[in-house]
Amino acid sequence: MSARERLRRIAAAQDLPFEAGAADTLILANLAFVFDPSWLAWLRNRPGTVLTRGGVPVLAHVAERDRARVSHAMESGGEAPAGLEEMPAEREEGIFNEALRKRERPFAERLVPENVPAIERATYVGAYKGVTDLLTKYLWPEWAFWLTRLAARVGLSPNGVTAIGSLLCIVATIAFWNGWFWSGLAVGLVFMVLDTVDGKLARCTITSSKLGNAWDHGVDLVHPPFWWWAWATGCAAYGRPLSDETFWLVIAAMLFGYVAQRLIEGAFIVRFKMHIHVWERFDSQFRLVTARRNPNMVILFAGLLVGRPDWGIVAVAAWTMLSLVVHLVRLLQAMGRGRRGEPIVSWLA
């Protein structure tokens, strides 16, 4: 898309009028540059501030009286006018993202042909928000980058990617239920990568929607218990059946642990206005392996490698309960510190 169309989408996503109207202040954007949308969110509450790259104004939140001289500096490639607070995009400390409770360095780059590959990469990397699991952080990014780029080039929408992924999720569930674990893992792997692609595509092309967000997160929230149930059932067809007692203990542990962990995470957000996974460094590191879908699938894969899918699902149930205990302890620790008047803030800040 053109830089102007990209800017229009960013403005729409942030509920900002795109064309200039009557206002005390306005934000000017230099279309010779491409920047991370978080810069606009940061600048909108800072009148009298100009974002620069190499000394040239990229974004400026100014009064109407300063419009002409700032516009001239943008068009001529000159330095920001005196009297405005300058924020160099190159500054090491970056900015604080209020929504994610973390400090980050968004990109702002001149839009010239030789910079396009770097801008594509920076846009994609900037779409990774918050902390995540080890597969999403270390294994998926390069695969998902090329798939996101391909989807954008062919015009496939984020909801289209989610639809394909949802179908594959159902196919994987059926495969697990019938004990076709290797086939299910292969299909599930593609689904898990696409589960990263749809969100990244939406952020990179600035086409997020309420429907897409609800659909994507709804599938993420609902399908894991069905996968675990299907896997436990499929052990019988595979030739490694669980006893009735073990089967129901596994299902009870996984369902209870899954729901309880989600409730603990929600309680932490309500109480402290941030995710439990960004409180201290330990919490971010534990998020890499905590009993969510992707780490659980690594455990199941390990069990299948030795021909014991039954061991895998029992191990996942045990890990789910252990993760629940860790999260509960962390919630109680935070509440205790809060009662003592200690501030609960994200270490990423």
Side-chain angles (χ1 to χ4, degrees):
M1 73 190 86
S2 67
R4 181 180 178 82
E5 171 59 17
R6 186 173 184 274
L7 180 63
R8 185 196 67 77
R9 294 185 188 185
I10 295 173
Q14 299 189 18
D15 294 322
L16 288 169
F18 184 57
E19 298 296 343
D24 294 333
T25 65
L26 68 158
I27 296 177
L28 301 175
N30 188 342
L31 294 183
F33 291 82
V34 176
F35 55 87
D36 190 290
S38 59
W39 277 122
L40 189 58
W42 178 84
L43 193 71
R44 67 185 298 173
N45 296 319
R46 291 173 171 80
T49 304
V50 56
L51 169 70
T52 63
R53 178 73 180 182
V56 179
V58 177
L59 282 171
H61 188 171
V62 298
E64 179 65 39
R65 64 178 179 274
D66 293 317
R67 178 177 182 172
R69 62 194 187 113
V70 173
S71 295
H72 175 72
M74 288 182 171
E75 292 167 359
S76 64
E79 295 184 354
L84 299 174
E85 181 180 350
E86 184 176 349
M87 172 63 179
E90 302 93 333
R91 199 170 74 172
E92 286 292 333
E93 56 265 40
I95 60 175
F96 184 69
N97 187 316
E98 289 287 349
L100 299 178
R101 314 302 299 170
K102 64 181 290 190
R103 187 162 291 279
E104 59 185 8
R105 281 190 66 193
F107 73 92
E109 297 290 343
R110 184 175 290 277
L111 184 56
V112 291
E114 56 268 27
N115 283 352
V116 168
I119 290 171
E120 283 187 338
R121 179 72 66 169
T123 303
Y124 174 76
V125 171
Y128 273 84
K129 303 298 183 181
V131 296
T132 187
D133 62 86
L134 74 172
L135 292 184
T136 303
K137 183 173 183 178
Y138 297 114
L139 187 59
W140 293 172
E142 197 62 27
W143 302 356
F145 170 74
W146 290 102
L147 288 173
T148 301
R149 193 171 185 235
L150 177 63
R153 296 285 172 88
V154 302
L156 183 60
S157 70
N159 285 351
V161 176
T162 303
I164 296 171
S166 299
L167 178 61
L168 294 177
C169 179
I170 295 171
V171 172
T173 305
I174 295 171
F176 293 152
W177 191 276
N178 287 280
W180 306 330
F181 293 128
W182 287 113
S183 298
L185 282 174
V187 174
L189 174 66
V190 178
F191 159 66
M192 289 189 290
V193 175
L194 292 182
D195 189 37
T196 292
V197 171
D198 55 8
K200 304 304 174 286
L201 180 63
R203 294 191 186 102
C204 288
T205 58
I206 314 156
T207 51
S208 298
S209 66
K210 291 182 179 179
L211 171 62
N213 187 61
W215 187 358
D216 181 33
H217 285 85
V219 171
D220 288 347
L221 187 66
V222 170
H223 85 270
F226 287 96
W227 274 18
W228 315 144
W229 189 301
W231 189 285
T233 301
C235 286
Y238 185 85
R240 294 289 184 178
L242 300 171
S243 67
D244 287 346
E245 181 181 358
T246 302
F247 177 89
W248 290 112
L249 282 174
V250 164
I251 296 302
M254 299 192 70
L255 288 177
F256 176 76
Y258 180 75
V259 173
Q261 283 187 85
R262 291 291 188 170
L263 291 176
I264 289 171
E265 291 173 12
F268 201 96
I269 292 173
V270 171
R271 177 67 177 81
F272 302 109
K273 311 304 181 203
M274 66 179 180
H275 286 278
I276 192 172
H277 306 297
V278 301
W279 176 25
E280 293 183 332
R281 185 184 296 271
F282 166 81
D283 303 293
S284 295
Q285 292 173 336
F286 190 69
R287 177 64 179 88
L288 292 171
V289 296
T290 193
R292 290 286 191 93
R293 181 198 63 203
N294 289 359
N296 286 351
M297 292 302 289
V298 173
I299 296 173
L300 293 176
F301 174 70
L304 194 58
L305 277 178
V306 296
R308 296 305 300 260
D310 52 331
W311 291 356
I313 196 67
V314 170
V316 167
W319 182 237
T320 298
M321 295 307 295
L322 182 58
S323 295
L324 169 61
V325 171
V326 171
H327 284 111
L328 180 59
V329 169
R330 295 300 288 162
L331 174 62
L332 294 176
Q333 288 177 329
M335 293 174 65
R337 294 188 191 181
R339 282 194 296 268
R340 293 193 297 271
E342 299 178 24
I344 304 299
V345 298
S346 169
W347 76 278
L348 295 172

